[in-house]
Amino acid sequence: MKDGEKKYISASQLGMFERCGEQYRRRYIEHEIIPPGISQVKGSGVHGGAKHNFRQKKETHEDLPKKDIIEISVAEFERVVSKQGVFLTREEESVGYNKVIGQTKDSVVRLADLFSAQVAPEYQPIYVEESHRLVILDSPYDLLAVMDLADDLDRVTDLKTAGKSKSQKEVDTSEQLSMYALVFKTITKRLPTEVRLETLVDT
């Protein structure tokens, strides 16, 4: 950020502050960087494959072959592990680092397969990873949001990986989806027809 440039607050910052004020303080005030947990790294891998697929689909109107999406997802998982490291709980440490990484990589493969088969065909993307600053007048901060996906039916969607499906309450109270809807309205001058959480669960 350049000197004098107006600061911003992101959707992820707001979510962290709501979940745990101490975690927010350590991360954004003390600038204490802790490697992501294994579930976050898994999500980053799957998200990387989805993003690559949807970006090219904007022009081609066709999904990549399943094997390509899986390979890209695994490569992104390995890149994040190599670059950022991974934080393991005591229970995960007792299993062993290499075993946890191997099991998680297998899960990335299954989830990328699921994305390719059941999620990707449902969407013709118009906006993918669209970053937008929402200017808040008379405030020292703006809002910054990166909208995962908006499609040709004006549906705004956030792709997640999780241990279980999300509830309707989690959709209704999602700060991210509210931010994404604002980004969509700012770009298109209309509200989305629907906001969605697409949650991939490895059973």
Side-chain angles (χ1 to χ4, degrees):
M1 180 181 296
K2 298 178 182 179
D3 291 341
E5 184 178 349
K6 190 176 181 181
K7 296 179 181 180
Y8 65 82
I9 296 176
S10 69
S12 60
Q13 286 176 275
L14 286 175
M16 181 182 293
F17 184 81
E18 183 180 33
R19 290 192 304 273
C20 179
E22 175 61 14
Q23 183 184 19
Y24 179 92
R25 184 190 69 81
R26 294 172 67 177
R27 171 64 181 85
Y28 291 104
I29 298 176
E30 300 299 331
H31 304 291
E32 180 180 331
I33 306 300
I34 300 175
I38 195 67
S39 61
Q40 290 175 279
V41 179
K42 176 169 63 176
S44 295
V46 178
H47 196 275
K51 177 175 68 175
H52 189 89
N53 176 68
F54 281 143
R55 279 185 168 170
Q56 66 82 37
K57 192 177 181 180
K58 286 172 62 176
E59 304 299 330
T60 67
H61 288 237
E62 292 184 1
D63 290 306
L64 292 171
K66 181 185 296 185
K67 66 178 182 62
D68 291 353
I69 294 176
I70 291 174
E71 287 177 0
I72 294 166
S73 299
V74 170
E76 179 63 12
F77 167 77
E78 293 175 337
R79 186 194 69 79
V80 174
V81 170
S82 175
K83 183 177 180 180
Q84 300 182 22
V86 59
F87 176 80
L88 298 183
T89 64
R90 289 184 179 180
E91 182 179 351
E92 290 164 346
E93 286 180 342
S94 69
V95 174
Y97 177 86
N98 289 335
K99 187 172 183 179
V100 169
I101 294 298
Q103 291 173 340
T104 307
K105 186 185 295 186
D106 291 342
S107 183
V108 169
V109 170
R110 290 190 293 270
L111 291 173
D113 187 322
L114 178 63
F115 166 80
S116 176
Q118 297 190 23
V119 177
E122 293 295 317
Y123 298 95
Q124 174 50 48
I126 302 298
Y127 300 106
V128 180
E129 296 291 314
E130 185 75 27
S131 178
H132 201 83
R133 182 185 285 255
L134 304 169
V135 177
I136 309 299
L137 299 177
D138 301 321
S139 170
Y141 292 91
D142 290 335
L143 294 176
L144 184 72
V146 181
M147 183 172 60
D148 273 9
L149 173 69
D151 69 359
D152 58 350
L153 299 178
D154 285 357
R155 298 177 297 182
V156 170
T157 303
D158 187 17
L159 180 66
K160 299 284 191 184
T161 59
K164 62 179 181 180
S165 298
K166 301 292 185 180
S167 67
Q168 184 61 46
K169 181 180 179 180
E170 288 174 289
V171 177
D172 295 338
T173 59
S174 169
E175 299 92 353
Q176 285 184 313
L177 287 177
S178 296
M179 282 259 204
Y180 297 166
L182 285 173
V183 171
F184 183 87
K185 187 175 187 298
T186 301
I187 295 170
T188 65
K189 309 304 179 187
R190 60 184 182 272
L191 288 171
T193 57
E194 187 178 356
V195 292
R196 291 181 161 196
L197 285 179
E198 280 283 8
T199 308
L200 300 171
V201 179
D202 184 3
T203 57

